[in-house]
Amino acid sequence: MIIESAKRLQQTSEYYFSRKLKEVRALAAAGKPIINMGVGSPDLPPPPHVIDALTRSLIDGPAHQYQSYKGLPQLTQAMSDFYNNKYEVELDPEIEILPLMGSKEGIMHISMAFLNQGDQVLIPNPGYPTYSSVTNLLEAEPVYYNLDASHNWMPNYDELESLDLSKVKLMWVNYPHMPTGAKATTEDFKRLIAFATKNNILLVNDNPYSFILNENPQSILSIPGAKEVALELNSLSKSFNMSGWRVGMLLGAEDYVNAVLTVKSNMDSGMFYGIQKGAAAVLTEGTSWFNELNLVYKSRRELMWQLADVLGCTYDREAAGMFIWAKLPEGSLDAEAFIDDILIDKSIFITPGTIFGSQGAEYIRFSLCVSEDKIREAISRFK
């Protein structure tokens, strides 16, 4: 007997990287010398003192017990200090901050806290696929707003205002933007806040990339009036090379945070004590950490630009984040066919822009989470 899965799964498929990496691993197992340039999982270590903080914590009395859903006071205070020091945003650590097991968890919990069946959600195209999949899982309705290079990958407000927004409850934004690397200015954030306020929409900025190859990290919460209509997600995954630790944070007004806490407290338990101790320690890092990290990424980026040049692609040298968003040359195959040919012929995996939406059909994305030696090897395979 086979029990049918829920109907909601009919609108949601397995995550692209979950599926594609099975193929990539199979090729590697068959002896192919695969170079994976697809996934943005930092390959560099976190600061050494963070490991020390975690290991020292393991003998503390409460280390192996259930932990508070709201996190250790030491952690929420560190998050508050981090936002104050890095973004000039003041947050009450007791009521305006909620630690998460990664910001991806936050996407689900925020959606569960605010969306009813049939509510509409504004989702960027191109954008992170999880915004769409979570919306579909909750039987809300995705409404895609197109981003393109002509508007520096910012919303076209004329197009947005022409829509019927009466059912829109939530809007996802993500700056610095993934996959394009576009950076929002203070004026861009002000315009987003004004749009959300006018249309009674909860705005959520997903902000994990602001310290990678970006000279001016910003938070949408720095804009006056932002807390009335906006939340922000952030993460330690990219900024501190801690993607496997699964530490994120939700930041915003008390009422919004409490709504998400209601969901979270019914869905999981508190984060492991040692991870919280390590996270609190890493948030004290100063600018020297980011400067040294970005020196590595700058060197890798120069080489990755060379690879993009070899493929005849064009790209924005001012983009932020740990990816190169590259436009395919005129007359190319579609993005998925383009990268599949390279995967089979050159044993190099590159992400097709199509997984981020129809606006990515002419693009591919390179990850900078690849050593310089591997990037040079990839370039040599085309010569």
Side-chain angles (χ1 to χ4, degrees), residues 151-162:
H151 287 81
N152 191 34
W153 306 100
M154 295 293 156
N156 183 325
Y157 290 95
D158 290 337
E159 289 184 1
L160 281 174
E161 293 287 2
S162 71

Side-chain angles (χ1 to χ4, degrees), residues 87-99:
Y87 299 114
E88 298 184 350
V89 172
E90 292 188 4
L91 294 161
D92 187 319
E94 295 185 6
I95 60 174
E96 294 185 318
I97 297 175
L98 181 63

Side-chain angles (χ1 to χ4, degrees), residues 127 202 210 324 347:
L202 179 61
S210 59
I324 305 298
S347 296

Side-chain angles (χ1 to χ4, degrees), residues 226-243:
K227 288 184 184 178
E228 296 179 12
V229 294
L231 289 167
E232 184 156 277
L233 289 170
N234 214 320
S235 167
L236 307 191
S237 295
K238 318 298 182 182
S239 300
F240 297 104
N241 303 331
M242 294 168 65
S243 54

Side-chain angles (χ1 to χ4, degrees), residues 102-177:
S103 57
K104 193 172 185 179
E105 177 196 60
I107 296 169
M108 173 61 84
H109 287 354
I110 290 168
S111 299
M112 292 181 73
F114 293 102
L115 295 178
N116 296 309
Q117 184 177 10
D119 283 342
Q120 293 183 334
V121 182
L122 288 171
I123 296 174
N125 175 17
Y128 185 35
T130 298
Y131 306 143
S132 296
S133 58
V134 166
T135 300
N136 287 325
L137 283 170
L138 295 178
E139 300 179 312
E141 180 184 349
V143 176
Y144 297 100
Y145 62 96
N146 290 338
L147 307 177
D148 60 53
S150 67
H151 287 81
N152 191 34
W153 306 100
M154 295 293 156
N156 183 325
Y157 290 95
D158 290 337
E159 289 184 1
L160 281 174
E161 293 287 2
S162 71
L163 300 174
D164 178 3
L165 301 172
S166 60
K167 293 183 180 179
V168 174
K169 187 80 169 289
L170 191 65
M171 179 179 184
W172 292 102
V173 296
N174 163 220
Y175 293 105
H177 185 246

Side-chain angles (χ1 to χ4, degrees), residues 290-332:
F290 298 112
N291 290 340
E292 291 172 12
L293 183 64
N294 281 318
L295 284 175
V296 175
Y297 283 129
K298 283 178 182 177
S299 294
R300 292 179 176 185
R301 184 174 62 181
E302 289 286 342
L303 288 169
M304 202 67 84
W305 284 340
Q306 291 180 33
L307 178 56
D309 289 340
V310 168
L311 294 177
C313 296
T314 54
Y315 45 85
D316 179 8
R317 286 177 173 261
E318 300 302 317
M322 56 174 53
F323 304 105
I324 305 298
W325 180 246
K327 189 171 185 178
L328 294 171
E330 290 291 333
S332 295

